[in-house]
Amino acid sequence: MLKMMTFFQGPPGQRPVPGTLDFLGSPPKPRSPSEAESEASMLEASSEDLVPPPDAGTAPDKEEEQAAKKKRPKGLATMFSVFTKGKKKKGQPSSAEPEAEPQARPGLEGRLPSVEELKAALEHGRLEAARPLLALERGLRAAAAAGGTSAEELVRRQSKVEALYVLLRDQVLGVLRRPLEAAPERLRLALAVLAEQEREDSQAATEPAPGAAALAPTRPRGWLRLWRRGVAEVAAERLSRRPAAGADGRSETESAFLHMGRTMKEDLEAVAERLKPVFPAEFGVVAAYAESYHEHFAAHLGALVQFELCERDVYMLLVWVQNFYPNDILNSPKLAGELQGLRLGSLLPAPQIRLLEATFLSNEVANVKELMSRALELESQRWAQDVAPQRLDGRCHSELAIDIMQIVSQGQTKAETITPDLGLQTQKVLLVELAEFLRSYQASFAEFLERGRQLRNYRANVIANINNCPSFRTSMEQKWQTLQDPPSRLLDPLSELKSQGFDALLQSLFSDLKPLFKRFTQTRWAAPEQTLEEIIGTVLTRLPEFLELQDCLRQELMEVIHLHLVKEYIVRLSKRRLVLKTAEQQQQLARHVLANAEVIQRVCTQHGSSATWLHPALPTLAEIIRLQDPSAIKIEVAMYATCYPDFSKSHLSAILAIKGNLPSSEAKSIRNILDVHTAAQEPSRSLFSLINAG
């Protein structure tokens, strides 16, 4: 997620180009002139003040001491020849090597350097002076333990040792503050000094030195603690830097978070790759840096959430806390193993995260509602302004379904980038908002159907909106696979919209068919074949008007036409204007009805209707008209009521009225069959409930 940048440039020990390698902070704060002068005056003394007395047999006489003082300019080289004897390594910095190894004077071989020599060495950054300085400290403790030295003298000597330790401490911590800028050998030496001081601290704590009461307590010096404090300062300095202003469109807060995240990741990777192999394991260098960076990052966020955050910053903060930080930083390939046991935890406490998530969810719902409302408003304006819809693959097309589903999908995806759980919460809330939108959409469309009938592009816009219905359903099923059967609150408004649209499209056709169906009763079924032929011809002539519907919708429209033809045919049979008193007449009418039923079924099926449930509607009525045996009629009626539970007694009475030779008692007995077969059944589809049989 974070675009990594090359952080370290140049070989180890070489100072990088400014701005590319500031890792691990700045050098220690320089001492003031007065402090330096005080230390210098404190260190103005001969080595005899600090060096333990030599053995009596080897003590030089006064002339030898004076000769040694005359040769003192070479004392520094002599000192380092003692420090480095037998330890010269290839690649050691030239400043650490004497120009020529001097001859050690008889009687002085192994002599500790003077205070001036140690001071000069430390001021030149020579960390090798740490070992003789430790020897001086131990010698001081030995003198205190032996007794015979005045308290004033011990204080004077100890103050000089401590002044030298201040110089050494600054040098060591200065190297460790910017470890990647130090030469490898110098870094190892600084770490060795620190480790030795820690061991000395531990020994002083467990085994108090004899005579320690005569000296001021100076241990533990706690240099390791000071180093860790420096690491924390470095983390604060690195993460607090203001990132360079860019033209990437990010807010100031977003840029700051990106800077902190990238800096932390790159710095910790550098620590793991380049410092961990060098630092002693007991220092826990990776843990020290990780904990310091984490604490500063968390403190920055804790301060930020105390203020009122804008919507964009709430989202950004949650993404960092819940996703980027734990996944892209702590669990990055290079850091996961190193940080696994540290238990750094979250950047924010759980209650604060829940509060932010609730704020995010509220913001997201408000945004989605506003965007969907705006999209519907724009779409409604196009209808009212008689703007023709787009054509896509020969179909009337509207972008509304695509726009709405993208709005909802983006809201959920945005939440999922924070956590999957928040994505699920957001999905549930947004589905409620989508259902509310669909109801508003259906109501706006119904209003358009009433007011826009005179518009030139009325039918095209109706078709375009009907075409939106399967687009909505398909998108819902693809986006939310758990909704294999989307809830009715989502589908009902779409079904109502589609039904209203079909009614508007078919209104003209059905008006044209009405007088044709009336001919059946007007001619007393004298020529039903010719009447039906005209009806079918009218239907076929008008079908091309619906070619701009999607294929699946055109098939559904054909089912509506199929239902209308069957329904209107039954209406004509139920008018009670035709009474046939002979069996032959009834059988002849039954043959006409059966033939007409076959034509209606064949034509509708050929043009896409899959309403097979309508197939027995007319043939069974024809059979009831044909049969003369009341028992056989009862069987047909019982079966018919099973297929069409909304077939009522009044509907049956209208059909039985055609049979002029059926006694009223028998007709009543047949009607009573429906008391048994329709009492507990609910119709899954409506046919006879659409027919007024009064």
Side-chain angles (χ1 to χ4, degrees), residues 33-97:
S34 61
E35 292 173 331
E37 183 178 352
S38 175
E39 290 180 6
S41 64
M42 189 179 296
L43 295 173
E44 295 286 341
S46 63
S47 63
E48 287 80 357
D49 292 331
L50 295 172
V51 180
D55 293 340
T58 60
D61 57 19
K62 187 174 183 180
E63 293 180 358
E64 287 176 334
E65 290 179 4
Q66 292 175 350
K69 291 180 180 179
K70 291 179 182 179
K71 294 181 180 181
R72 184 153 293 173
K74 295 184 179 180
L76 188 61
T78 304
M79 175 188 71
F80 287 118
S81 72
V82 174
F83 292 162
T84 61
K85 187 174 182 180
K87 297 182 180 180
K88 182 178 179 182
K89 296 183 180 180
K90 185 177 180 180
Q92 185 174 355
S94 60
S95 61
E97 298 178 358

Side-chain angles (χ1 to χ4, degrees), residues 304-362:
L304 184 64
V305 297
Q306 301 306 314
F307 299 92
E308 184 175 354
L309 300 174
C310 69
E311 176 184 322
R312 185 170 174 176
D313 287 346
V314 168
Y315 169 68
M316 175 274 304
L317 195 150
L318 282 172
V319 168
W320 273 99
V321 171
Q322 298 285 73
N323 185 355
F324 292 170
Y325 185 75
N327 297 323
D328 290 12
I329 296 179
L330 301 186
N331 285 322
S332 67
K334 294 182 180 180
L335 295 178
E338 302 291 345
L339 306 179
Q340 187 174 12
L342 296 186
R343 298 182 179 179
L344 295 177
S346 175
L347 291 172
L348 286 175
Q352 188 69 61
I353 292 175
R354 288 194 293 270
L355 181 61
L356 289 171
E357 287 180 341
T359 302
F360 164 80
L361 193 56
S362 176

